[in-house]
Amino acid sequence: MGTEGESFRLIAGRYRLETRLGRGGMGVVWRATDQLLERRVAVKELTQDTSLATDEARLRRDRSLREARAVAQLHHPHIIVVHDVVEDDERPYIVMELIDGGSLADRISRRGPVDADEAARIGIALLGALGTAHAAGVLHRDVKPANVLLEDATDRIVLTDFGIAQVAGATTLTESGSFVGSPEYTAPERMSGVRTGPESDLWSLGALLCTALSGESPFRRDSLGGILHAVVIDEVRPPAQAAPLLPVVRGLLERDPERRLDAAEAERMLRAFRATGRTPKLSAAYTPGRQQSQRREESGGREATPTISLRKASSRNASSRTADQSPRASGRAALIAAVLVAALAGAGVSAAALLLNSEDGGGGTPKDTATATVSATGSGATEVSPSRTGVAPGTAGGSPVTSTVSPGATEGTRGTAGPSPSAPTAPSGYRLAHDPRGFSLAVPDGFTRSEQKERVFYVSPGETFRLGIKILDPQPGGPLAVMERADANGSSTNPGYRDGRVTATVHAQQVAALWEFTWDGFSAAEGPRHTYDLCWEEGGRMYDVWVSAPVGKVREAKEYFDVALDTFVTAG
């Protein structure tokens, strides 16, 4: 939540910002009122990089607004409606329709995976949305459950956050050598650093369907390097729950974009499954790559958004290779490059920076930030009320963790271990708290500090949201053992403890563990709550950060948790 002053901030003389709904890599989303038309809207406030020179900042704003206006031209029932694009005090804002409902990621987190019929319905809707965007030359480039909204009243499926979309033919924020997106949902040809087309969005849709059916991406690993290796090298293994839709999932997760299942055939198969309840089959007349060939013919042999196959030789070097060498050698080179990147990432080198060369092959460091988001759910701590005593001590909470990697820096750049060129800054609606216990982190405006023995809490008014931090000496077995012990004792420390899940992971290049669970709260009046917890070791100390909230407010809780981890810095 923002401060009271922010709650009634007026922009462009028309839109009144009221309540902060969420925060993503590209900005903050507000619930707002359009005072001219007297309707509720959502307003996305795009983040600004204060380190940029004035001219460069203006250029970036112009590009952001140009891309947003291109998305505003898209009209489809399953694409978020963009009402307006405005500037206020030299900051760009995108005004969109307000969807009352959570994301597909929220739905999976709260209620578990969906069945095959619902997954097929989601897939059909998203294929229609992507088809409209692709026909207009717009790539989404970040298709994932968090960017799919489910409207409560109508069950409408809405694809949102085209914030990193690329408009074909335009020089965009993400085109200057930077990799932006979520690696678990990113196509291998993008991982290999080549410019990509609509087929890359279809790969992402295949990964999304696996997540919807099983609750977890098939490419989830404990590190960025592991994810890169899984996407580019490892055998693709769809989850068992994907069996009813297996031909569609396997077709979309074909590594060679030239052979990937196209949108029309994928939609036909999903509709056939919904109509018959039987596993769909490819049409006898279907030919892989048909749509790509048609696009090249229609554009005179040139695609608006070129797709380069891993198996296709580079045009720059094709003339110097023999016919039997080119495809195989080119594909092998791309894969070897990806393996080296994954190995270096595991050694603590910024994988994103290594992957991302500019399109002309130059080796210079791009000025745009390269962002790689690695999510991992589930891990460890006992929920303790900051205003109560007598509760057995434990360790604290887990949720998706977001790692932001900038070119030329290590993975620990923002709010994590390792050298940092600049101190983390608080996002809009937050303040940077420098705690006397020897750490700092961004907490929402309006949160107040309290202590309970070895724990520090920052809580919202009425304790709706509780952010906890605990620092202790290393424990036997490390973070994973600590979280597993807390999980085993969950029912004795948290009333109505259920759905506990502990996962080993990596945070700030350190061994870590995540714990996620639901429980009944400390009283009937408080009601059921959900807790996210991360525990890791750093500099000879063990750190535990957790957030708990009512089960109906998990989206806000995840945001607070992610921001706390992104900005957490120790004094030592």
Side-chain angles (χ1 to χ4, degrees), residues 311-348:
R311 301 180 186 180
K312 189 183 295 181
S314 165
S315 60
R316 191 175 301 177
N317 301 320
S319 59
S320 64
R321 294 179 179 147
T322 62
D324 64 328
Q325 282 179 314
S326 300
R328 188 174 303 170
S330 178
R332 185 186 303 119
L335 293 178
I336 289 173
V339 171
L340 289 173
V341 168
L344 288 169

PDB file of all heavy atoms in Angstrom, residues 311-348:
ATOM      1  N   ARG A 311      19.381 -24.821 -35.748  1.00  0.00           N
ATOM      2  CA  ARG A 311      20.031 -25.709 -36.717  1.00  0.00           C
ATOM      3  C   ARG A 311      20.400 -24.991 -38.011  1.00  0.00           C
ATOM      4  O   ARG A 311      20.927 -25.600 -38.924  1.00  0.00           O
ATOM      5  CB  ARG A 311      19.087 -26.869 -37.043  1.00  0.00           C
ATOM      6  CG  ARG A 311      18.698 -27.668 -35.815  1.00  0.00           C
ATOM      7  CD  ARG A 311      17.774 -28.793 -36.188  1.00  0.00           C
ATOM      8  NE  ARG A 311      17.288 -29.473 -35.007  1.00  0.00           N
ATOM      9  CZ  ARG A 311      16.468 -30.502 -35.026  1.00  0.00           C
ATOM     10  NH1 ARG A 311      16.044 -30.991 -36.146  1.00  0.00           N
ATOM     11  NH2 ARG A 311      16.048 -31.056 -33.900  1.00  0.00           N
ATOM     12  N   LYS A 312      20.079 -23.719 -38.092  1.00  0.00           N
ATOM     13  CA  LYS A 312      20.317 -22.994 -39.335  1.00  0.00           C
ATOM     14  C   LYS A 312      21.650 -22.269 -39.269  1.00  0.00           C
ATOM     15  O   LYS A 312      21.962 -21.616 -38.292  1.00  0.00           O
ATOM     16  CB  LYS A 312      19.188 -21.984 -39.559  1.00  0.00           C
ATOM     17  CG  LYS A 312      19.223 -21.336 -40.924  1.00  0.00           C
ATOM     18  CD  LYS A 312      18.119 -20.297 -41.042  1.00  0.00           C
ATOM     19  CE  LYS A 312      16.768 -20.942 -40.979  1.00  0.00           C
ATOM     20  NZ  LYS A 312      15.684 -19.951 -41.122  1.00  0.00           N
ATOM     21  N   ALA A 313      22.421 -22.311 -40.335  1.00  0.00           N
ATOM     22  CA  ALA A 313      23.725 -21.640 -40.348  1.00  0.00           C
ATOM     23  C   ALA A 313      23.547 -20.141 -40.351  1.00  0.00           C
ATOM     24  O   ALA A 313      22.600 -19.602 -40.891  1.00  0.00           O
ATOM     25  CB  ALA A 313      24.500 -22.058 -41.595  1.00  0.00           C
ATOM     26  N   SER A 314      24.474 -19.441 -39.711  1.00  0.00           N
ATOM     27  CA  SER A 314      24.462 -17.984 -39.743  1.00  0.00           C
ATOM     28  C   SER A 314      24.687 -17.515 -41.168  1.00  0.00           C
ATOM     29  O   SER A 314      25.563 -18.003 -41.875  1.00  0.00           O
ATOM     30  CB  SER A 314      25.577 -17.450 -38.838  1.00  0.00           C
ATOM     31  OG  SER A 314      25.810 -16.103 -39.112  1.00  0.00           O
ATOM     32  N   SER A 315      23.869 -16.534 -41.621  1.00  0.00           N
ATOM     33  CA  SER A 315      24.025 -16.046 -42.991  1.00  0.00           C
ATOM     34  C   SER A 315      25.383 -15.411 -43.189  1.00  0.00           C
ATOM     35  O   SER A 315      25.897 -15.369 -44.294  1.00  0.00           O
ATOM     36  CB  SER A 315      22.917 -15.027 -43.292  1.00  0.00           C
ATOM     37  OG  SER A 315      22.998 -13.944 -42.387  1.00  0.00           O
ATOM     38  N   ARG A 316      25.982 -14.930 -42.110  1.00  0.00           N
ATOM     39  CA  ARG A 316      27.278 -14.259 -42.199  1.00  0.00           C
ATOM     40  C   ARG A 316      28.378 -15.252 -42.551  1.00  0.00           C
ATOM     41  O   ARG A 316      29.352 -14.919 -43.177  1.00  0.00           O
ATOM     42  CB  ARG A 316      27.585 -13.570 -40.869  1.00  0.00           C
ATOM     43  CG  ARG A 316      28.750 -12.643 -40.904  1.00  0.00           C
ATOM     44  CD  ARG A 316      28.901 -11.927 -39.581  1.00  0.00           C
ATOM     45  NE  ARG A 316      27.702 -11.157 -39.268  1.00  0.00           N
ATOM     46  CZ  ARG A 316      27.536 -10.482 -38.143  1.00  0.00           C
ATOM     47  NH1 ARG A 316      28.471 -10.475 -37.222  1.00  0.00           N
ATOM     48  NH2 ARG A 316      26.429  -9.800 -37.922  1.00  0.00           N
ATOM     49  N   ASN A 317      28.216 -16.513 -42.122  1.00  0.00           N
ATOM     50  CA  ASN A 317      29.273 -17.502 -42.319  1.00  0.00           C
ATOM     51  C   ASN A 317      28.868 -18.641 -43.254  1.00  0.00           C
ATOM     52  O   ASN A 317      29.662 -19.519 -43.536  1.00  0.00           O
ATOM     53  CB  ASN A 317      29.670 -18.116 -40.970  1.00  0.00           C
ATOM     54  CG  ASN A 317      30.163 -17.066 -40.006  1.00  0.00           C
ATOM     55  OD1 ASN A 317      30.869 -16.166 -40.401  1.00  0.00           O
ATOM     56  ND2 ASN A 317      29.777 -17.187 -38.738  1.00  0.00           N
ATOM     57  N   ALA A 318      27.621 -18.619 -43.753  1.00  0.00           N
ATOM     58  CA  ALA A 318      27.133 -19.772 -44.507  1.00  0.00           C
ATOM     59  C   ALA A 318      27.966 -20.034 -45.752  1.00  0.00           C
ATOM     60  O   ALA A 318      28.200 -21.179 -46.133  1.00  0.00           O
ATOM     61  CB  ALA A 318      25.672 -19.544 -44.899  1.00  0.00           C
ATOM     62  N   SER A 319      28.425 -18.975 -46.414  1.00  0.00           N
ATOM     63  CA  SER A 319      29.133 -19.167 -47.672  1.00  0.00           C
ATOM     64  C   SER A 319      30.461 -19.880 -47.494  1.00  0.00           C
ATOM     65  O   SER A 319      30.997 -20.452 -48.440  1.00  0.00           O
ATOM     66  CB  SER A 319      29.370 -17.805 -48.343  1.00  0.00           C
ATOM     67  OG  SER A 319      30.134 -16.981 -47.479  1.00  0.00           O
ATOM     68  N   SER A 320      31.020 -19.860 -46.285  1.00  0.00           N
ATOM     69  CA  SER A 320      32.322 -20.476 -46.053  1.00  0.00           C
ATOM     70  C   SER A 320      32.211 -21.893 -45.523  1.00  0.00           C
ATOM     71  O   SER A 320      33.208 -22.513 -45.214  1.00  0.00           O
ATOM     72  CB  SER A 320      33.124 -19.626 -45.063  1.00  0.00           C
ATOM     73  OG  SER A 320      32.478 -19.603 -43.805  1.00  0.00           O
ATOM     74  N   ARG A 321      30.969 -22.434 -45.410  1.00  0.00           N
ATOM     75  CA  ARG A 321      30.791 -23.781 -44.897  1.00  0.00           C
ATOM     76  C   ARG A 321      30.246 -24.674 -45.982  1.00  0.00           C
ATOM     77  O   ARG A 321      29.559 -24.246 -46.903  1.00  0.00           O
ATOM     78  CB  ARG A 321      29.800 -23.771 -43.727  1.00  0.00           C
ATOM     79  CG  ARG A 321      30.329 -23.030 -42.518  1.00  0.00           C
ATOM     80  CD  ARG A 321      29.269 -23.061 -41.454  1.00  0.00           C
ATOM     81  NE  ARG A 321      29.733 -22.367 -40.255  1.00  0.00           N
ATOM     82  CZ  ARG A 321      28.942 -21.693 -39.439  1.00  0.00           C
ATOM     83  NH1 ARG A 321      27.664 -21.613 -39.670  1.00  0.00           N
ATOM     84  NH2 ARG A 321      29.432 -21.109 -38.369  1.00  0.00           N
ATOM     85  N   THR A 322      30.532 -25.946 -45.886  1.00  0.00           N
ATOM     86  CA  THR A 322      29.967 -26.907 -46.821  1.00  0.00           C
ATOM     87  C   THR A 322      28.537 -27.176 -46.453  1.00  0.00           C
ATOM     88  O   THR A 322      28.095 -26.929 -45.337  1.00  0.00           O
ATOM     89  CB  THR A 322      30.759 -28.226 -46.774  1.00  0.00           C
ATOM     90  OG1 THR A 322      30.642 -28.756 -45.451  1.00  0.00           O
ATOM     91  CG2 THR A 322      32.217 -28.012 -47.094  1.00  0.00           C
ATOM     92  N   ALA A 323      27.769 -27.720 -47.371  1.00  0.00           N
ATOM     93  CA  ALA A 323      26.340 -27.952 -47.156  1.00  0.00           C
ATOM     94  C   ALA A 323      26.086 -28.879 -45.990  1.00  0.00           C
ATOM     95  O   ALA A 323      25.115 -28.731 -45.264  1.00  0.00           O
ATOM     96  CB  ALA A 323      25.704 -28.506 -48.426  1.00  0.00           C
ATOM     97  N   ASP A 324      26.946 -29.897 -45.799  1.00  0.00           N
ATOM     98  CA  ASP A 324      26.694 -30.849 -44.717  1.00  0.00           C
ATOM     99  C   ASP A 324      27.189 -30.330 -43.379  1.00  0.00           C
ATOM    100  O   ASP A 324      26.855 -30.862 -42.345  1.00  0.00           O
ATOM    101  CB  ASP A 324      27.356 -32.200 -45.022  1.00  0.00           C
ATOM    102  CG  ASP A 324      28.866 -32.096 -45.095  1.00  0.00           C
ATOM    103  OD1 ASP A 324      29.334 -31.028 -45.517  1.00  0.00           O
ATOM    104  OD2 ASP A 324      29.553 -33.080 -44.759  1.00  0.00           O
ATOM    105  N   GLN A 325      27.986 -29.262 -43.378  1.00  0.00           N
ATOM    106  CA  GLN A 325      28.500 -28.716 -42.125  1.00  0.00           C
ATOM    107  C   GLN A 325      27.562 -27.690 -41.506  1.00  0.00           C
ATOM    108  O   GLN A 325      27.382 -27.648 -40.305  1.00  0.00           O
ATOM    109  CB  GLN A 325      29.846 -28.014 -42.363  1.00  0.00           C
ATOM    110  CG  GLN A 325      31.010 -28.965 -42.503  1.00  0.00           C
ATOM    111  CD  GLN A 325      32.273 -28.173 -42.745  1.00  0.00           C
ATOM    112  OE1 GLN A 325      32.299 -27.263 -43.555  1.00  0.00           O
ATOM    113  NE2 GLN A 325      33.321 -28.508 -42.027  1.00  0.00           N
ATOM    114  N   SER A 326      26.959 -26.834 -42.346  1.00  0.00           N
ATOM    115  CA  SER A 326      26.327 -25.619 -41.838  1.00  0.00           C
ATOM    116  C   SER A 326      25.297 -25.829 -40.749  1.00  0.00           C
ATOM    117  O   SER A 326      25.443 -25.313 -39.656  1.00  0.00           O
ATOM    118  CB  SER A 326      25.697 -24.851 -43.005  1.00  0.00           C
ATOM    119  OG  SER A 326      26.680 -24.515 -43.937  1.00  0.00           O
ATOM    120  N   PRO A 327      24.212 -26.555 -40.994  1.00  0.00           N
ATOM    121  CA  PRO A 327      23.186 -26.624 -39.961  1.00  0.00           C
ATOM    122  C   PRO A 327      23.698 -27.264 -38.680  1.00  0.00           C
ATOM    123  O   PRO A 327      23.453 -26.773 -37.591  1.00  0.00           O
ATOM    124  CB  PRO A 327      22.088 -27.477 -40.620  1.00  0.00           C
ATOM    125  CG  PRO A 327      22.364 -27.428 -42.093  1.00  0.00           C
ATOM    126  CD  PRO A 327      23.850 -27.315 -42.194  1.00  0.00           C
ATOM    127  N   ARG A 328      24.415 -28.378 -38.817  1.00  0.00           N
ATOM    128  CA  ARG A 328      24.843 -29.099 -37.632  1.00  0.00           C
ATOM    129  C   ARG A 328      25.861 -28.290 -36.827  1.00  0.00           C
ATOM    130  O   ARG A 328      25.787 -28.191 -35.616  1.00  0.00           O
ATOM    131  CB  ARG A 328      25.426 -30.447 -38.033  1.00  0.00           C
ATOM    132  CG  ARG A 328      25.730 -31.356 -36.861  1.00  0.00           C
ATOM    133  CD  ARG A 328      26.162 -32.719 -37.357  1.00  0.00           C
ATOM    134  NE  ARG A 328      25.145 -33.304 -38.221  1.00  0.00           N
ATOM    135  CZ  ARG A 328      25.350 -34.402 -38.947  1.00  0.00           C
ATOM    136  NH1 ARG A 328      26.506 -35.003 -38.925  1.00  0.00           N
ATOM    137  NH2 ARG A 328      24.382 -34.883 -39.694  1.00  0.00           N
ATOM    138  N   ALA A 329      26.818 -27.680 -37.532  1.00  0.00           N
ATOM    139  CA  ALA A 329      27.848 -26.916 -36.835  1.00  0.00           C
ATOM    140  C   ALA A 329      27.248 -25.703 -36.143  1.00  0.00           C
ATOM    141  O   ALA A 329      27.610 -25.371 -35.021  1.00  0.00           O
ATOM    142  CB  ALA A 329      28.927 -26.479 -37.831  1.00  0.00           C
ATOM    143  N   SER A 330      26.324 -25.025 -36.848  1.00  0.00           N
ATOM    144  CA  SER A 330      25.719 -23.845 -36.246  1.00  0.00           C
ATOM    145  C   SER A 330      24.931 -24.203 -35.004  1.00  0.00           C
ATOM    146  O   SER A 330      25.018 -23.537 -33.979  1.00  0.00           O
ATOM    147  CB  SER A 330      24.794 -23.170 -37.269  1.00  0.00           C
ATOM    148  OG  SER A 330      24.156 -22.063 -36.698  1.00  0.00           O
ATOM    149  N   GLY A 331      24.121 -25.252 -35.083  1.00  0.00           N
ATOM    150  CA  GLY A 331      23.342 -25.670 -33.919  1.00  0.00           C
ATOM    151  C   GLY A 331      24.239 -26.067 -32.775  1.00  0.00           C
ATOM    152  O   GLY A 331      23.993 -25.710 -31.624  1.00  0.00           O
ATOM    153  N   ARG A 332      25.316 -26.833 -33.069  1.00  0.00           N
ATOM    154  CA  ARG A 332      26.228 -27.271 -32.017  1.00  0.00           C
ATOM    155  C   ARG A 332      26.890 -26.068 -31.363  1.00  0.00           C
ATOM    156  O   ARG A 332      27.042 -26.012 -30.145  1.00  0.00           O
ATOM    157  CB  ARG A 332      27.291 -28.198 -32.598  1.00  0.00           C
ATOM    158  CG  ARG A 332      28.201 -28.790 -31.523  1.00  0.00           C
ATOM    159  CD  ARG A 332      29.342 -29.588 -32.130  1.00  0.00           C
ATOM    160  NE  ARG A 332      28.866 -30.646 -32.999  1.00  0.00           N
ATOM    161  CZ  ARG A 332      29.164 -30.718 -34.286  1.00  0.00           C
ATOM    162  NH1 ARG A 332      29.917 -29.791 -34.845  1.00  0.00           N
ATOM    163  NH2 ARG A 332      28.706 -31.700 -35.017  1.00  0.00           N
ATOM    164  N   ALA A 333      27.282 -25.059 -32.176  1.00  0.00           N
ATOM    165  CA  ALA A 333      27.936 -23.877 -31.607  1.00  0.00           C
ATOM    166  C   ALA A 333      27.004 -23.146 -30.652  1.00  0.00           C
ATOM    167  O   ALA A 333      27.417 -22.693 -29.588  1.00  0.00           O
ATOM    168  CB  ALA A 333      28.365 -22.933 -32.742  1.00  0.00           C
ATOM    169  N   ALA A 334      25.734 -23.028 -31.038  1.00  0.00           N
ATOM    170  CA  ALA A 334      24.777 -22.335 -30.176  1.00  0.00           C
ATOM    171  C   ALA A 334      24.598 -23.082 -28.870  1.00  0.00           C
ATOM    172  O   ALA A 334      24.534 -22.485 -27.789  1.00  0.00           O
ATOM    173  CB  ALA A 334      23.427 -22.188 -30.886  1.00  0.00           C
ATOM    174  N   LEU A 335      24.517 -24.413 -28.953  1.00  0.00           N
ATOM    175  CA  LEU A 335      24.307 -25.207 -27.746  1.00  0.00           C
ATOM    176  C   LEU A 335      25.535 -25.154 -26.840  1.00  0.00           C
ATOM    177  O   LEU A 335      25.419 -25.035 -25.620  1.00  0.00           O
ATOM    178  CB  LEU A 335      23.984 -26.657 -28.114  1.00  0.00           C
ATOM    179  CG  LEU A 335      22.650 -26.861 -28.830  1.00  0.00           C
ATOM    180  CD1 LEU A 335      22.475 -28.322 -29.193  1.00  0.00           C
ATOM    181  CD2 LEU A 335      21.495 -26.397 -27.976  1.00  0.00           C
ATOM    182  N   ILE A 336      26.730 -25.252 -27.455  1.00  0.00           N
ATOM    183  CA  ILE A 336      27.951 -25.184 -26.651  1.00  0.00           C
ATOM    184  C   ILE A 336      28.036 -23.841 -25.946  1.00  0.00           C
ATOM    185  O   ILE A 336      28.401 -23.753 -24.763  1.00  0.00           O
ATOM    186  CB  ILE A 336      29.189 -25.419 -27.535  1.00  0.00           C
ATOM    187  CG1 ILE A 336      29.246 -26.892 -27.969  1.00  0.00           C
ATOM    188  CG2 ILE A 336      30.467 -25.050 -26.789  1.00  0.00           C
ATOM    189  CD1 ILE A 336      30.334 -27.194 -28.967  1.00  0.00           C
ATOM    190  N   ALA A 337      27.695 -22.760 -26.663  1.00  0.00           N
ATOM    191  CA  ALA A 337      27.714 -21.436 -26.033  1.00  0.00           C
ATOM    192  C   ALA A 337      26.788 -21.395 -24.837  1.00  0.00           C
ATOM    193  O   ALA A 337      27.122 -20.857 -23.785  1.00  0.00           O
ATOM    194  CB  ALA A 337      27.307 -20.364 -27.056  1.00  0.00           C
ATOM    195  N   ALA A 338      25.599 -21.986 -25.001  1.00  0.00           N
ATOM    196  CA  ALA A 338      24.641 -21.977 -23.890  1.00  0.00           C
ATOM    197  C   ALA A 338      25.158 -22.791 -22.718  1.00  0.00           C
ATOM    198  O   ALA A 338      24.969 -22.428 -21.558  1.00  0.00           O
ATOM    199  CB  ALA A 338      23.291 -22.515 -24.355  1.00  0.00           C
ATOM    200  N   VAL A 339      25.806 -23.940 -23.009  1.00  0.00           N
ATOM    201  CA  VAL A 339      26.347 -24.768 -21.926  1.00  0.00           C
ATOM    202  C   VAL A 339      27.425 -24.013 -21.169  1.00  0.00           C
ATOM    203  O   VAL A 339      27.476 -24.029 -19.927  1.00  0.00           O
ATOM    204  CB  VAL A 339      26.921 -26.079 -22.495  1.00  0.00           C
ATOM    205  CG1 VAL A 339      27.678 -26.830 -21.419  1.00  0.00           C
ATOM    206  CG2 VAL A 339      25.790 -26.947 -23.018  1.00  0.00           C
ATOM    207  N   LEU A 340      28.299 -23.310 -21.918  1.00  0.00           N
ATOM    208  CA  LEU A 340      29.344 -22.539 -21.255  1.00  0.00           C
ATOM    209  C   LEU A 340      28.745 -21.449 -20.380  1.00  0.00           C
ATOM    210  O   LEU A 340      29.210 -21.194 -19.260  1.00  0.00           O
ATOM    211  CB  LEU A 340      30.271 -21.905 -22.313  1.00  0.00           C
ATOM    212  CG  LEU A 340      31.190 -22.883 -23.054  1.00  0.00           C
ATOM    213  CD1 LEU A 340      31.909 -22.161 -24.180  1.00  0.00           C
ATOM    214  CD2 LEU A 340      32.193 -23.520 -22.098  1.00  0.00           C
ATOM    215  N   VAL A 341      27.703 -20.798 -20.889  1.00  0.00           N
ATOM    216  CA  VAL A 341      27.036 -19.770 -20.100  1.00  0.00           C
ATOM    217  C   VAL A 341      26.473 -20.359 -18.831  1.00  0.00           C
ATOM    218  O   VAL A 341      26.606 -19.815 -17.742  1.00  0.00           O
ATOM    219  CB  VAL A 341      25.923 -19.105 -20.935  1.00  0.00           C
ATOM    220  CG1 VAL A 341      25.034 -18.251 -20.044  1.00  0.00           C
ATOM    221  CG2 VAL A 341      26.535 -18.233 -22.017  1.00  0.00           C
ATOM    222  N   ALA A 342      25.807 -21.530 -18.954  1.00  0.00           N
ATOM    223  CA  ALA A 342      25.221 -22.169 -17.775  1.00  0.00           C
ATOM    224  C   ALA A 342      26.296 -22.530 -16.767  1.00  0.00           C
ATOM    225  O   ALA A 342      26.132 -22.340 -15.560  1.00  0.00           O
ATOM    226  CB  ALA A 342      24.440 -23.412 -18.185  1.00  0.00           C
ATOM    227  N   ALA A 343      27.429 -23.039 -17.260  1.00  0.00           N
ATOM    228  CA  ALA A 343      28.505 -23.422 -16.350  1.00  0.00           C
ATOM    229  C   ALA A 343      29.078 -22.206 -15.641  1.00  0.00           C
ATOM    230  O   ALA A 343      29.341 -22.215 -14.440  1.00  0.00           O
ATOM    231  CB  ALA A 343      29.610 -24.143 -17.127  1.00  0.00           C
ATOM    232  N   LEU A 344      29.262 -21.110 -16.404  1.00  0.00           N
ATOM    233  CA  LEU A 344      29.787 -19.895 -15.795  1.00  0.00           C
ATOM    234  C   LEU A 344      28.799 -19.305 -14.808  1.00  0.00           C
ATOM    235  O   LEU A 344      29.182 -18.764 -13.776  1.00  0.00           O
ATOM    236  CB  LEU A 344      30.109 -18.867 -16.885  1.00  0.00           C
ATOM    237  CG  LEU A 344      31.341 -19.210 -17.740  1.00  0.00           C
ATOM    238  CD1 LEU A 344      31.403 -18.284 -18.946  1.00  0.00           C
ATOM    239  CD2 LEU A 344      32.613 -19.111 -16.922  1.00  0.00           C
ATOM    240  N   ALA A 345      27.492 -19.433 -15.126  1.00  0.00           N
ATOM    241  CA  ALA A 345      26.483 -18.934 -14.186  1.00  0.00           C
ATOM    242  C   ALA A 345      26.576 -19.688 -12.879  1.00  0.00           C
ATOM    243  O   ALA A 345      26.461 -19.119 -11.803  1.00  0.00           O
ATOM    244  CB  ALA A 345      25.080 -19.072 -14.784  1.00  0.00           C
ATOM    245  N   GLY A 346      26.800 -21.006 -12.969  1.00  0.00           N
ATOM    246  CA  GLY A 346      26.928 -21.797 -11.754  1.00  0.00           C
ATOM    247  C   GLY A 346      28.153 -21.408 -10.964  1.00  0.00           C
ATOM    248  O   GLY A 346      28.217 -21.589  -9.749  1.00  0.00           O
ATOM    249  N   ALA A 347      29.148 -20.848 -11.649  1.00  0.00           N
ATOM    250  CA  ALA A 347      30.374 -20.422 -10.963  1.00  0.00           C
ATOM    251  C   ALA A 347      30.274 -19.008 -10.424  1.00  0.00           C
ATOM    252  O   ALA A 347      31.224 -18.470  -9.894  1.00  0.00           O
ATOM    253  CB  ALA A 347      31.558 -20.513 -11.925  1.00  0.00           C
ATOM    254  N   GLY A 348      29.102 -18.389 -10.594  1.00  0.00           N
ATOM    255  CA  GLY A 348      28.900 -17.052 -10.028  1.00  0.00           C
ATOM    256  C   GLY A 348      29.063 -15.931 -11.021  1.00  0.00           C
ATOM    257  O   GLY A 348      29.059 -14.774 -10.657  1.00  0.00           O
TER     258      GLY A 348
END
